[in-house]
Amino acid sequence: MSSRRQPIRAEDAQVIDYNQGDTAKQYKKTKTLPVRTRIEAYSFLKHIGDVQDKKVLDVACGAGDYTRILRRAGADPMVGFDVSEKMIALAREEDAREPLGIEYSVADARVAVAQQDFDLAVAAFLLVYARARDELATMCHGRAAASSQAAGS
């Protein structure tokens, strides 16, 4: 018997559907965990750097946590999109509670769009959802092509 693990086939890879049940709300709760607030956020934001007066696109923005942080840090305009309608609904609810003038939309990062005028495109959690190399390449060349600079993972 071989001790080597078999690679996960792309068709067997599980991708979370945030539109199912309360998945989006449950995911949002994880954003308060210390590992997320102290380590993840610090590392992500340090990597991005100064966004003052930069046009920033948050690809796969989820519920808009980093989108709001970047807007408060001076990104203008700040645009976020996600494939999940429920995640965008959560982001818009937060923006209704604390209006920051962020533009949110439902869109798929795998869909290429015409070049847009952004200084920076960020993606905290996008590429981890690629089920195969070709899908990963599509994500990298899709919406992220909207900026002259890209950051994230």
Side-chain angles (χ1 to χ4, degrees), residues 29-149:
K29 287 181 182 178
T30 70
K31 290 292 190 170
T32 61
L33 296 173
V35 70
R36 307 281 312 260
T37 59
R38 295 184 187 147
I39 298 170
E40 174 191 305
Y42 171 80
S43 299
F44 184 67
L45 297 169
K46 185 174 180 182
H47 180 70
I48 293 169
D50 183 19
V51 295
Q52 184 69 42
D53 299 320
K54 289 188 179 177
K55 296 175 261 178
V56 180
L57 174 66
D58 189 355
V59 181
C61 69
D65 295 284
Y66 287 126
T67 318
R68 284 187 297 283
I69 291 170
L70 294 170
R71 177 65 186 105
R72 286 187 202 108
D76 190 26
M78 185 71 229
V79 177
F81 76 85
D82 197 278
V83 71
S84 168
E85 293 174 11
K86 285 192 174 184
M87 294 297 262
I88 291 298
L90 290 172
R92 288 177 176 153
E93 286 173 17
E94 285 295 320
D95 202 56
R97 279 191 281 281
E98 180 191 355
L100 295 174
I102 298 169
E103 178 187 331
Y104 289 107
S105 63
V106 177
D108 190 335
R110 296 170 294 184
V111 177
V113 296
Q115 179 72 29
Q116 296 177 33
D117 188 25
F118 287 97
D119 298 312
L120 179 67
V122 299
F125 290 99
L126 167 65
L127 304 181
V128 295
Y129 292 104
R131 291 173 278 190
R133 285 182 186 215
D134 60 332
E135 191 170 70
L136 179 64
T138 302
M139 288 176 175
C140 291
H141 292 96
R143 298 272 176 160
S147 80
S148 58
Q149 184 181 4

